[in-house]
């Protein structure tokens, strides 16, 4: 109720746990998938509602998921781009997949800026560098996200590489060696299973 007055923002996570929102999430992603053609590969569907006061800024960051960002109320500018170089990209992704929030500390490279008004939406690819500025009124957005098995596998490789780097090694990034990628992904699944068992 006081987001505008206090100049704050609020994110409601995992709205898919409520049946009505789950139906909305599935309808939206099923509709998008008619163009994407991912079918059963579209997994881990989640939804978020984001409320932001006027002039609020979300600094440049990266997320792991495919994101369909839909604007419900207010106007905001979304800037989306990439990394300045592959080395920075691999460094940031290792950090993100070892538990650090994906804030980049730099703006998107080769950016595109979209003005989002009610009834519009933008697709944000996984690991794209993006930032947001709210231009007028309170902004309300709906974020529909999902991952694929391939994204999950690459996340495991980056997570394992982060562990190797902490040991003083210099691991090769995903895509350099198919054999090494398979081994890293398998070992990371074992480590993740062991961690879940401890809980």
């Amino acid at each position: 109720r006081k987001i505008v007055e206090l100049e704050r923002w609020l994110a409601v996570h995992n709205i898919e746990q409520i049946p009505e929102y789950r139906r909305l999430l599935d309808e939206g992603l099923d509709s998008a998938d008619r163009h994407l053609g991912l079918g059963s590969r579209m997994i881990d569907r989640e939804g978020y509602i984001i409320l932001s006061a006027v002039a609020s800024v979300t600094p440049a960051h990266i997320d792991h998921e495919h994101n369909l960002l839909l604007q419900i109320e207010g106007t905001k500018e979304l800037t989306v781009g990439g990394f300045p170089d592959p080395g920075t990209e691999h460094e940031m992704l290792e950090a993100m997949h070892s538990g650090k929030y994906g804030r980049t500390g730099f703006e998107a490279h080769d950016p595109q800026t979209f003005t989002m008004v009610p009834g519009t939406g933008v697709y944000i690819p996984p690991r794209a560098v993006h930032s947001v500025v709210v231009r007028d009124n309170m902004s309300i957005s709906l974020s529909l996200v999902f991952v694929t098995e391939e994204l999950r596998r690459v996340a495991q490789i980056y997570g394992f590489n982060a562990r190797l780097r902490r040991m003083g090694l210099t691991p090769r990034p995903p895509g350099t060696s198919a054999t090494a990628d398979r081994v890293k992904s398998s070992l990371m699944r074992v480590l993740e299973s062991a961690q879940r068992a401890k809980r």
Side-chain angles (χ1 to χ4, degrees), residues 9-197:
W9 64 274
L10 169 71
V12 183
H13 290 230
N14 299 111
I15 61 172
E16 73 282 353
Q17 296 177 68
I18 299 171
E20 292 83 357
Y21 281 122
R22 181 72 208 194
R23 286 194 292 273
L24 176 65
L25 176 77
D26 286 336
E27 285 174 11
L29 290 180
D30 287 345
S31 175
D33 192 43
R34 286 193 276 276
H35 300 282
L36 296 172
L38 292 171
S40 61
R41 288 177 293 162
M42 185 186 280
I43 57 176
D44 293 346
R45 297 177 170 204
E46 296 177 350
Y48 306 91
I49 296 174
I50 305 160
L51 300 91
S52 310
V54 62
S56 64
V57 175
T58 303
H61 65 286
I62 53 175
D63 295 312
H64 170 58
E65 311 92 346
H66 294 268
N67 184 357
L68 299 175
L69 183 64
L70 311 173
Q71 191 68 5
I72 298 170
E73 185 175 316
T75 301
K76 66 183 181 184
E77 288 182 357
L78 169 70
T79 299
V80 184
F83 292 88
D85 57 78
T88 302
E89 179 177 6
H90 297 311
E91 180 183 338
M92 289 294 310
L93 293 175
E94 279 185 24
M96 181 173 70
H97 292 299
S98 62
K100 296 179 182 176
Y101 176 66
R103 186 172 293 183
T104 61
F106 54 83
E107 296 302 315
H109 188 66
D110 289 333
Q112 280 186 286
T113 298
F114 303 90
T115 299
M116 301 186 67
V117 297
T120 63
V122 175
Y123 166 66
I124 305 173
R127 304 187 288 268
V129 179
H130 58 289
S131 57
V132 178
V133 179
V134 177
R135 289 302 182 195
D136 65 21
N137 204 355
M138 182 174 74
S139 167
I140 302 177
S141 304
L142 174 64
S143 182
L144 309 179
V145 306
F146 67 93
V147 300
T148 61
E149 288 291 355
E150 175 61 17
L151 266 182
R152 184 182 284 169
R153 188 180 73 86
V154 171
Q156 290 166 339
I157 296 165
Y158 274 118
F160 195 80
N161 279 356
R163 290 169 179 258
L164 294 177
R165 200 172 299 279
R166 285 196 294 271
M167 296 165 59
L169 302 175
T170 308
R172 291 180 288 181
T176 308
S177 165
T179 302
D181 285 352
R182 281 195 297 272
V183 171
K184 290 174 183 176
S185 178
S186 298
L187 290 172
M188 197 63 186
R189 279 198 300 273
V190 171
L191 290 170
E192 288 170 346
S193 297
Q195 287 174 341
R196 284 193 296 269

